[in-house]
């Protein structure tokens, strides 16, 4: 088959898929084959928004400006943060195998993912006693979160990835222009978020507070969430035109969003940005340090997105091949 | 004691005179006076390499001058990592440790006797012992005999004969004023130090009960490769063989058991417990159990319960809690280090902001003492007795019997192979089905 012809077929099939998805662009539940686990995906319509915060916003930091217009293509986003129940299937091959034996799947999803690159088993329990079943998975590196998406793609055939910072903020705002998706009133934060004041020093089961206008839970608080971006403090000022995100070239800092159970209200604002730090791995006593586990970031988790326009196989391959940057 | 270079430095007053006051500033590193603290790394796995990097990240003038491992590939990998350009210190700042690693090929030692050659080097002041724990007693012996200061990882043995040897040598190390730090890093962690100091001062009254946990998931496992002798396979997959690891109750849970001993200021007089192999039953998992629970009974009659297990997909906790006659501590986990009375009033709450990495503190304090010529650390005795507590726990769960300290410590069951060689046989071998014999409570003899 000529390359040109192959390209044509791929292009047509991608267009067809995109159209089909547009026609059926609504919330859905992703089954995790060979298990009882499911993951709810919320349809987030595309649109334009002002990314960053106005200079007048209380608690605003310099890295949140200047505000600038960003166009966002439609995508689905996880209704909640990814929970341990699902993450453990990916992290522990044996667990996935045992689960698959109990819940056979006609698509033989386990065989599909048996060769997946998975995290090395952690030496210390990564939930730090805060709870496992129904609680957000934490302490994974951004690299591990990307490989989780790849594992899920291999299982389901559907392209999932981490949200870009822009997508994350767009989703968190859910149409709002205020500090929080529900307004500017810190006093209401407890209805929507787990943070330092109400968390009793631990994360909580996902989805217990009020959702935002898109129907997304825990965008503020509970655990911070990985994005796909390098964290660059002045990125908004020097961001290249039409650049969808800041690709990662250095291990630190990469961008996390949303604030956590351990943070103050100001850190939970939709526009607040945080860069990862080397000392989030401070308790890893090995050298080189784990590429899979942070060990000291019990406030970092993630949720995933699925763009309506599925990228090309080459792009998908690129998304799932992050450069391994060893951590000394 | 032999007058070695380090002692000469102490005796000559060069250190007190300031040569090491700011060793990394100015020209001290390259000065003609050799004030460098020279280190041999014995055991070049991920942890040994990490410990070496921490030694190099202290403010003292430290140099790794020799490395030893049973396996050449492990040593080479470690050397590569230690000389990596992008190493960062605990604060995340880039550090060039490459220039502090001076290990030419003739000071890289491979094989079962590699440790002897590295420890015997005259210039070596400190040894880092980070091989699998089964080797620790003989490596510790070599280090003490050669008058080296010592950082050794926990646990410090896997059987009672090994413990007796370490206890004996701990005495000798004391007499020689050799600093010994054991990698039970909670002793070097601010929240434990602060809370337990207050508990010892009586904040909670008498400690009358508690729970200690290492309830987590399964760590790494190495599949058997073609062409491996049984000895090589067990050495590679050492976590699952008792002569090397002592079971996970010894390798991991010793941390929490040690905290119980620390809080109680003593060691259990008896232990009974139960355990088994429920989830991790395949042949790749050698002979160790996957769960144990214990009653640790102390001389005053207090019982502390202990749990460890390595299951996936379960509730997990790695932590400790104690109740006293006046109050309690529910957790030592970071921000939750809070001493409370029974009315709920907070007597002490630890603020972990700014706390240093305890793995780094171990080395900071050890090397500071060595540089000043001080004798400050004698961790080996506690390290041995807390390790013995874990071994005694294993004896209790493997046998299903109540085991007393006095009978446990006298046990002559020696798990170590009679001969160390790649073609020699370890004492526990797989059956025709590839499975290793596993202890059966009620039947297995442990004393």
């Amino acid at each position: 088959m000529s390359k040109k012809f192959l390209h044509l077929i791929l292009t047509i099939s991608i267009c067809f898929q995109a159209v089909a998805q547009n026609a059926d662009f609504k919330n859905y539940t992703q089954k995790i084959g060979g298990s009882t686990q499911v993951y709810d995906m919320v349809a987030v319509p595309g649109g334009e928004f002002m990314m960053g915060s106005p200079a007048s916003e209380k608690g605003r930091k310099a890295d949140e400006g200047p505000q600038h217009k960003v166009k966002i293509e439609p995508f689905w986003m996880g209704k909640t943060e990814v929970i341990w129940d699902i993450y453990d299937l990916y992290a522990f091959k044996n667990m996935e195998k045992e689960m698959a034996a109990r819940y056979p799947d006609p698509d033989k999803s386990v065989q599909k993912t048996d060769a997946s690159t998975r995290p090395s088993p952690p030496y210390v329990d990564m939930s730090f006693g805060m709870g496992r079943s129904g609680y957000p998975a934490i302490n994974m590196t951004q690299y591990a979160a990307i490989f989780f998406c790849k594992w899920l793609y291999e299982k389901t055939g559907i392209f999932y990835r981490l949200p870009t910072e822009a997508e994350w903020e767009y989703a968190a705002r859910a149409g709002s222009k205020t500090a929080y998706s529900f307004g500017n009133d810190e006093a209401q934060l407890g209805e929507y978020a787990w943070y330092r004041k109400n968390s009793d020093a631990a994360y909580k089961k996902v989805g217990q507070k009020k959702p935002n206008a898109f129907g997304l839970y825990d965008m503020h608080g509970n655990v911070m969430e990985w994005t796909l971006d390098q964290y660059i403090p002045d990125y908004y000022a020097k961001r290249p035109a039409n650049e969808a995100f800041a690709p990662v070239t250095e291990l630190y800092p990469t961008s996390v969003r949303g604030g956590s159970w351990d943070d103050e209200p100001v850190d939970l604002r939709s526009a607040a940005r945080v860069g990862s730090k080397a000392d989030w791995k401070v308790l890893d006593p090995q050298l080189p340090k784990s590429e899979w586990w942070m060990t000291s970031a019990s406030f970092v988790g993630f949720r995933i997105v699925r763009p309506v326009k599925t990228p090309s196989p080459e792009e998908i391959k690129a998304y799932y091949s992050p450069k391994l940057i060893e951590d000394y | 004691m032999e007058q070695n270079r380090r002692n000469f430095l102490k005796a000559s007053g060069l250190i007190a005179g300031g040569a090491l006051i700011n060793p990394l500033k100015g020209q001290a590193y390259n000065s003609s006076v050799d004030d460098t603290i020279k280190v041999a790394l014995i055991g070049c796995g991920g942890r040994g390499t990490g410990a070496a990097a921490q030694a190099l990240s202290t403010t003292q003038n430290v140099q790794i001058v020799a490395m030893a491992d049973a396996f050449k590939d492990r040593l080479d990998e470690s050397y590569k990592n230690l000389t990596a350009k992008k190493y960062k210190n605990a604060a995340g700042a880039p550090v060039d440790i490459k220039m502090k690693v001076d290990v030419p090929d003739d000071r890289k030692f491979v094989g079962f006797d590699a440790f002897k050659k590295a420890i015997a080097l005259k210039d070596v002041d400190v040894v880092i012992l980070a091989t699998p724990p089964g080797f620790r007693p003989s490596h510790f012996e070599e280090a003490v005999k050669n008058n080296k200061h010592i950082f050794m990882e926990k646990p410090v043995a896997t059987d009672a004969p090994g413990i007796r040897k370490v206890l004996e040598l701990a005495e000798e190390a004391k007499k020689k004023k050799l600093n010994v730090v054991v990698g039970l890093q909670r002793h070097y962690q601010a929240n434990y130090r602060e809370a337990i100091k207050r508990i010892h001062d009586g904040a909670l009254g008498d400690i009358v009960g508690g729970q200690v946990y290492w309830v987590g998931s399964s760590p790494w496992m190495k599949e058997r490769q073609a062409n491996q002798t049984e000895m090589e396979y067990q050495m590679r997959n050492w976590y699952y063989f008792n002569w090397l690891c002592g079971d996970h109750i010894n390798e991991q849970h010793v941390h929490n058991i040690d905290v119980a001993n620390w809080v109680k200021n003593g060691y259990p007089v008896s232990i009974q417990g139960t355990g088994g192999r429920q989830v991790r039953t395949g042949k790749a998992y050698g002979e160790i159990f996957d769960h144990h629970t214990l009653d640790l009974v102390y001389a005053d009659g207090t019982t502390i319960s202990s749990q460890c297990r390595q299951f996936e997909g379960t509730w997990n906790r790695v932590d400790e809690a104690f109740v006293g006659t006046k109050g309690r501590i529910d957790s030592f986990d970071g921000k939750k280090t809070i001493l409370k009375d029974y009315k709920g009033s907070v007597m002490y709450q630890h603020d972990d902001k700014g706390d240093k990495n305890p793995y780094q503190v171990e080395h900071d304090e050890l090397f500071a003492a060595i540089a000043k010529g001080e004798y400050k650390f004698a961790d080996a005795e506690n390290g041995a007795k807390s390790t013995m507590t874990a071994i005694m726990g294993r004896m209790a769960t493997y046998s299903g019997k109540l085991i007393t300290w006095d009978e446990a410590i006298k046990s002559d069951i020696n798990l170590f192979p009679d001969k160390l060689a790649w073609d020699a046989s370890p004492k526990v071998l797989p059956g025709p089905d590839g499975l290793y014999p596993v202890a059966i409570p009620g039947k297995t003899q442990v004393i």
Side-chain angles (χ1 to χ4, degrees):
Chain A
M1 199 186 301
S2 79
K3 264 192 183 164
K4 204 170 175 185
F5 185 59
L6 181 70
H7 176 75
L8 192 66
I9 291 179
L10 283 174
T11 310
I12 290 169
S13 76
I14 288 162
C15 292
F16 178 74
Q17 229 178 328
V19 171
Q21 284 163 350
N22 273 329
D24 195 22
F25 185 52
K26 55 185 184 193
N27 296 358
Y28 71 97
T29 297
Q30 177 62 58
K31 216 179 137 262
I32 315 288
S35 83
T36 52
Q37 296 302 318
V38 293
Y39 189 61
D40 289 332
M41 300 297 293
V42 170
V44 176
E48 281 188 345
F49 84 115
M50 290 301 283
M51 188 170 181
S53 58
S56 58
E57 190 167 296
K58 192 183 153 200
R60 189 235 205 200
K61 291 183 186 132
D63 65 353
E64 297 167 24
Q67 273 193 304
H68 56 290
K69 196 179 273 183
V70 177
K71 185 166 182 281
I72 300 288
E73 297 296 326
F75 60 89
W76 288 274
M77 184 180 234
K79 189 163 102 175
T80 65
E81 289 143 353
V82 171
I83 55 174
W84 282 116
D85 310 58
I86 299 174
Y87 196 78
D88 282 348
L89 292 175
Y90 149 70
F92 299 115
K93 189 174 165 182
N94 285 341
M95 202 171 141
E96 190 188 350
K97 272 188 176 168
E98 283 157 24
M99 191 70 94
R102 242 181 293 162
Y103 305 100
D105 187 82
D107 295 335
K108 298 186 176 171
S109 53
V110 168
Q111 282 88 329
K112 273 190 199 166
T113 55
D114 213 30
S116 294
T117 308
R118 296 166 192 265
S120 49
Y123 182 75
V124 179
D125 167 49
M126 287 294 152
S127 68
F128 286 93
M130 296 193 290
R132 203 104 183 157
S133 191
Y135 292 91
I138 52 162
N139 256 321
M140 75 294 292
T141 58
Q142 185 197 42
Y143 184 80
I146 291 170
F147 271 93
F148 171 86
C149 297
K150 187 181 183 206
W151 169 82
L152 197 55
Y153 172 64
E154 285 165 0
K155 282 191 84 68
T156 62
I158 294 170
F159 176 66
Y160 289 105
R161 61 164 167 80
L162 293 178
T164 64
E165 250 202 280
E167 285 168 337
W168 191 95
E169 185 173 327
Y170 177 75
R173 291 188 170 282
S176 71
K177 292 174 179 154
T178 44
Y180 308 98
S181 65
F182 54 82
N184 286 318
D185 185 7
E186 239 179 70
Q188 289 180 48
L189 194 57
E191 294 173 42
Y192 295 86
W194 298 107
Y195 63 113
R196 187 170 284 185
K197 199 174 155 194
N198 65 0
S199 71
D200 192 24
Y203 61 33
K204 296 289 182 288
K205 282 192 178 178
V206 298
Q208 297 191 82
K209 294 287 184 182
K210 286 186 188 169
N212 71 12
F214 283 155
L216 299 165
Y217 290 79
D218 301 310
M219 290 298 280
H220 304 302
N222 207 19
V223 294
M224 294 184 200
E225 298 172 13
W226 284 116
T227 73
L228 205 53
D229 296 43
Q230 189 89 61
Y231 169 80
I232 303 169
D234 56 353
Y235 192 61
Y236 295 177
K238 64 181 195 194
R239 175 183 162 111
N242 302 320
E243 184 68 44
F245 69 106
V248 170
T249 55
E250 297 290 330
L251 193 55
Y252 302 106
T254 51
S255 174
V256 290
R257 289 300 211 105
S260 80
W261 58 267
D262 198 21
D263 286 322
E264 301 296 342
V266 67
D267 306 313
L268 272 62
R269 291 173 304 111
S270 299
R273 308 174 67 207
V274 168
S276 64
K277 294 190 187 88
D279 72 3
W280 291 3
K281 257 189 223 175
V282 71
L283 285 181
D284 186 342
Q286 310 251 343
L287 190 84
K289 292 172 188 288
S290 172
E291 65 227 44
W292 301 105
W293 300 101
M294 300 301 292
T295 71
S296 308
S298 58
F299 42 79
V300 172
F302 70 111
R303 77 179 77 211
I304 56 177
V305 300
R306 171 188 175 187
V308 166
K309 270 188 210 155
T310 302
S312 71
E314 290 75 22
E315 285 171 317
I316 289 178
K317 203 176 157 199
Y319 269 117
Y320 291 149
S321 312
K323 193 180 152 208
L324 171 61
I325 307 169
E326 286 204 318
D327 196 357
Y328 297 105
Chain B
M1 195 200 329
E2 187 195 347
Q3 178 84 338
N4 65 21
R5 191 177 51 86
R6 192 91 240 131
N7 294 321
F8 169 74
L9 284 179
K10 286 172 211 162
S12 65
L14 277 174
I15 291 160
L20 276 181
I21 297 300
N22 246 333
L24 294 184
K25 287 197 178 152
Q27 298 307 308
Y29 183 79
N30 293 319
S31 90
S32 55
V33 180
D34 187 4
D35 59 5
T36 314
I37 304 174
K38 296 189 173 177
V39 177
L41 170 62
I42 316 296
C44 303
R47 177 60 199 128
T49 312
Q54 281 140 9
L56 297 179
S57 303
T58 64
T59 53
Q60 274 65 46
N61 194 356
V62 177
Q63 201 174 38
I64 306 290
V65 298
M67 295 168 74
D69 199 281
F71 295 108
K72 184 171 186 302
D73 59 310
R74 299 296 278 169
L75 192 151
D76 289 346
E77 182 71 14
S78 175
Y79 181 78
K80 192 191 94 192
N81 289 329
L82 279 173
T83 50
K85 279 181 200 149
K86 278 193 169 175
Y87 178 74
K88 291 182 294 304
N89 70 11
V95 181
D96 185 5
I97 58 173
K98 210 167 155 183
M99 58 179 288
K100 299 167 136 195
V101 179
D102 176 26
V103 189
D105 286 350
D106 64 354
R107 288 201 298 268
K108 289 177 182 161
F109 303 102
V110 171
F112 284 108
D113 61 351
F115 75 99
K116 279 197 177 182
K117 296 174 189 162
I119 293 172
L121 292 173
K122 274 253 174 320
D123 276 1
V124 166
D125 306 299
V126 185
V127 295
I128 293 173
L129 305 180
T131 62
F135 295 110
R136 202 84 69 244
S138 56
H139 294 183
F140 184 50
E141 179 176 38
E142 198 70 13
V144 173
K145 287 195 169 151
N146 282 279
N147 305 320
K148 311 298 185 189
H149 298 285
I150 294 153
F151 171 82
M152 63 174 164
E153 261 306 338
K154 41 46 66 178
V156 302
T158 59
D159 56 21
I163 294 291
R164 293 198 297 270
K165 186 185 249 186
V166 173
L167 283 172
E168 239 177 76
L169 291 158
E171 284 306 306
E172 205 180 324
K174 257 189 229 171
K175 278 184 209 143
K176 291 181 164 185
K177 299 198 167 165
L178 300 171
N179 286 292
V180 182
V181 166
V182 171
L184 289 162
Q185 81 283 351
R186 284 163 175 79
H187 287 273
Y188 295 83
Q189 188 168 329
N191 66 320
Y192 282 90
R193 283 177 160 182
E194 292 300 320
I196 292 177
K197 187 169 72 192
R198 286 165 176 83
I199 291 170
H200 286 169
D201 287 347
L204 303 182
D206 296 331
I207 297 299
V208 292
Q211 301 82 35
V212 301
Y213 308 90
W214 193 303
V215 180
S217 54
S218 202
W220 56 268
M221 176 271 285
K222 298 275 198 298
E223 299 276 2
R224 189 189 292 269
Q225 305 296 313
N227 306 323
Q228 278 178 337
T229 63
E230 183 63 24
M231 181 65 82
E232 176 172 2
Y233 171 64
Q234 294 198 12
M235 293 270 289
R236 295 272 185 193
N237 198 27
W238 63 265
Y239 204 91
Y240 300 96
F241 297 96
N242 282 329
W243 70 276
L244 289 158
C245 165
D247 198 315
H248 66 99
I249 190 175
N250 188 46
E251 211 280 335
Q252 286 189 318
H253 193 37
V254 64
H255 281 294
N256 322 100
I257 288 172
D258 171 62
V259 171
N261 292 342
W262 186 9
V263 166
K264 283 300 293 177
N265 250 334
Y267 302 90
V269 292
S270 71
I271 297 179
Q272 75 82 31
T274 190
R277 230 170 121 97
Q278 165 73 18
V279 172
R280 211 172 43 192
T281 55
K283 54 192 174 189
Y285 300 105
E287 58 177 332
I288 72 173
F289 278 9
D290 57 18
H291 64 285
H292 307 253
T293 70
L294 310 174
D295 291 335
L296 310 171
V297 180
Y298 290 82
D300 63 1
T302 300
T303 301
I304 306 282
S305 71
S306 113
Q307 277 185 41
C308 62
R309 73 168 183 232
Q310 295 185 331
F311 293 171
E312 287 151 13
T314 54
W315 175 86
N316 290 346
R317 183 171 183 188
V318 179
D319 198 6
E320 304 85 13
F322 299 95
V323 294
T325 49
K326 290 199 238 163
R328 65 191 299 150
I329 177 165
D330 292 325
S331 172
F332 285 90
D333 195 5
K335 294 187 166 51
K336 294 193 168 181
T337 310
I338 303 169
L339 303 180
K340 278 185 198 163
D341 69 18
Y342 287 111
K343 285 177 187 146
S345 308
V346 173
M347 289 186 269
Y348 174 73
Q349 177 159 17
H350 185 74
D351 178 4
D352 62 1
K353 214 171 175 181
D355 280 359
K356 290 184 187 150
N357 173 356
Y359 296 100
Q360 186 59 49
V361 175
E362 290 172 339
H363 288 86
D364 288 349
E365 296 189 0
L366 172 64
F367 282 90
I370 293 168
K372 287 183 199 147
E374 291 175 349
Y375 171 59
K376 277 177 82 173
F377 297 100
D379 289 359
E381 183 184 345
N382 173 63
K385 287 183 175 171
S386 277
T387 302
M388 188 63 226
T389 314
I391 292 170
M392 198 173 146
R394 184 189 73 215
M395 290 172 167
T397 59
Y398 278 21
S399 68
K401 303 260 197 304
L402 186 139
I403 306 285
T404 66
W405 179 276
D406 294 339
E407 61 188 350
I409 190 93
K410 283 182 199 143
S411 161
D412 278 326
I413 294 181
N414 175 350
L415 304 177
F416 214 70
D418 296 327
K419 186 186 163 198
L420 284 176
W422 295 119
D423 58 357
S425 278
K427 285 178 178 163
V428 171
L429 298 169
D433 53 3
L435 291 167
Y436 291 84
V438 171
I440 301 171
K443 291 186 180 168
T444 297
Q445 294 296 311
V446 294
I447 301 285

